Amino acid sequence: MQEVAILGVGQTAVREHWDLSIRQLAVDAGQAAMADAGIDKIDGLFVGNMTSGRLNKQHQLGALVADYLGQWGVEAVKLEAACGSAGSAMRQGILAVASGEMEAVLVIGVEKMTETNFKETTAALTGAADADYEVIQGVTFVGLNALLMRRYMHEYGYTRHDFAPFALNAHANGAKNPHAMFREPITQKVYDKGRIVADPISLYDASPIGDGAAALLLVPAAKAPQAVRVIGSASSTDTLAIHDREDTLWLKAAELSAKQAYQQAGVGPDDIDLFELHDAFSIMAALSLETCGFAERGEGVRLAQAGEIFPNGRIPICTMGGLKGRGHPVGATGLYQIAEATLQLRGEAGEAQIEGAHTAMAQNIGGSGATIATHILQRPSSR
């Protein structure tokens, strides 16, 4: 297997894009990545998306986007793994290049979610839960995460107030990212007054949906010696339903995929300079830090309280806003994470730049932890 490099990056801003269709969002990001790479012909296209069939009445996104990119004849498919769709598409793109089957692969994550009413959008998202044993009971994803957060608070003695650093960090970092939905920092007081959505989760513990697309152009590393390398890539699964898990407060798929990615990369948690984790909810940020080895069990919140997740901390997270600050167009999120990590390693993150960043990790979570893809990237000069 040959090493893979990220030669091109493209993004649209995460917004309520009333004037752009799902195809146009995908094409805009794809064209930007191809232009950034200086490549006008690809061998394959992998599109990550969750809700296009239900919310946009559009299947066959692979062929549709290939057509409007002018890439007729290439292999092109859509991949779905709930909120982990883009990370899963990235994984398939990496395998296609690493195997030698393809030389130039475009990976796009896209989602358009804001033109349908709240009930329809929420119903589409619940499709990532167990239909027979969770959805039938009327649960939503904010409800499931509220149960996890309440259990975590009970086990480790935290209050809702203690989770504030995750939101404060995300909003402060998002203010530095022109592609983010929310460009204003918040204070502890604002967090504490946040409207409760599903007790104990407030408005500031939950990420907002949005419309957007992010894209990456992948090539063999030998053809792009100065490009950011993918040095670790893995994807793992857990039970779909939370109640089927042996340990509800441990993201087993995160542990497994991170372990595999660390082994491939020859690094460990201490070698990671920044972590683009999947902060769909504050509780997920805490659990990800713990299961990936950045904090002991039950200590993820304390790590945040100590300021270690902030840009000048030991393990900066969500450096350009994360899901909370940038927004969460679900099937596109995993590629926004990797695109942002790539820009950090290139030194092109603008005001959000983490100085001296050489190795970055991105982790994309599907559902409540059923599908988790972990990628580790590195600047070539640090190897």
Side-chain angles (χ1 to χ4, degrees), residues 8-338:
V9 176
Q11 304 176 67
T12 71
V14 181
R15 301 284 188 270
E16 292 185 10
H17 285 293
W18 299 101
D19 57 336
L20 296 177
S21 66
I22 190 169
R23 84 176 70 190
Q24 192 61 54
L25 287 166
V27 168
D28 286 352
Q31 287 177 332
M34 293 174 69
D36 187 40
I39 287 178
D40 59 11
K41 179 62 180 175
I42 60 174
D43 301 310
L45 170 65
F46 297 89
V47 180
N49 173 271
M50 178 185 176
T51 66
S52 70
R54 180 159 183 169
L55 298 186
N56 312 118
K57 308 300 186 286
Q58 182 66 66
H59 291 291
Q60 282 279 61
L61 278 188
L64 179 71
V65 176
D67 179 8
Y68 279 77
L69 280 171
Q71 301 297 315
W72 306 289
V74 303
E75 180 178 345
V77 294
K78 165 186 164 178
L79 292 99
E80 183 277 313
C83 310
S85 297
S88 297
M90 177 69 173
R91 171 77 175 145
Q92 296 307 309
I94 290 169
L95 291 174
V97 174
S99 68
E101 184 70 18
M102 299 179 185
E103 285 208 346
V105 168
L106 185 61
V107 186
I108 301 175
V110 64
E111 204 78 71
K112 186 165 178 62
M113 311 178 70
T114 64
E115 290 186 354
T116 46
N117 64 52
F118 172 77
K119 288 185 178 180
E120 188 172 0
T121 303
T122 299
L125 290 173
T126 59
D130 190 313
D132 291 335
Y133 296 104
E134 290 180 318
V135 181
I136 199 171
Q137 306 299 328
V139 300
T140 62
F141 269 102
V142 67
L144 289 171
N145 280 272
L147 292 171
L148 289 175
M149 187 169 169
R150 176 63 67 187
R151 187 65 193 178
Y152 187 94
M153 289 162 57
H154 170 77
E155 290 289 338
Y156 304 120
Y158 294 110
T159 66
R160 190 182 75 81
H161 175 91
D162 296 324
F163 287 80
F166 293 115
L168 270 60
N169 175 66
H171 282 271
N173 293 342
K176 304 171 186 176
N177 178 6
H179 291 107
M181 285 185 74
F182 298 124
R183 304 293 310 283
E184 294 290 336
I186 64 169
T187 64
Q188 178 78 53
K189 184 176 181 180
V190 169
Y191 173 84
D192 288 340
K193 289 186 174 180
R195 176 173 59 85
I196 296 297
V197 181
D199 193 20
I201 289 177
S202 79
L203 194 65
Y204 295 106
D205 290 303
S207 58
I209 62 168
D211 306 331
L216 299 172
L217 198 291
L218 310 179
V219 298
K223 293 184 176 295
Q226 300 305 311
V228 169
R229 293 334 194 232
V230 179
I231 60 171
S233 172
S235 182
S236 300
T237 56
D238 200 348
T239 65
L240 199 62
I242 291 176
H243 65 260
D244 283 333
R245 295 175 193 169
E246 183 178 344
D247 187 341
T248 57
L249 295 181
W250 192 257
L251 298 174
K252 190 64 177 178
E255 178 191 21
L256 293 174
S257 63
K259 182 179 180 180
Q260 292 173 39
Y262 286 146
Q263 288 176 341
Q264 291 172 21
V267 302
D270 290 341
D271 301 303
I272 304 299
D273 297 313
L274 63 97
F275 184 20
E276 296 301 334
L277 56 73
H278 193 97
D279 62 327
F281 300 93
S282 295
I283 182 60
M284 280 292 160
L287 295 179
S288 293
L289 287 167
E290 294 169 20
T291 51
C292 292
F294 297 104
E296 295 296 324
R297 187 179 182 118
E299 295 292 319
V301 171
R302 288 193 177 87
L303 187 75
Q305 289 175 319
E308 298 293 356
I309 65 167
F310 287 81
N312 59 351
R314 178 169 68 85
I315 180 64
I317 69 169
C318 306
T319 64
M320 300 184 77
L323 283 65
K324 286 191 186 68
R326 179 223 311 120
H328 182 28
V330 294
T333 287
L335 281 173
Y336 274 101
Q337 294 174 307
I338 300 172

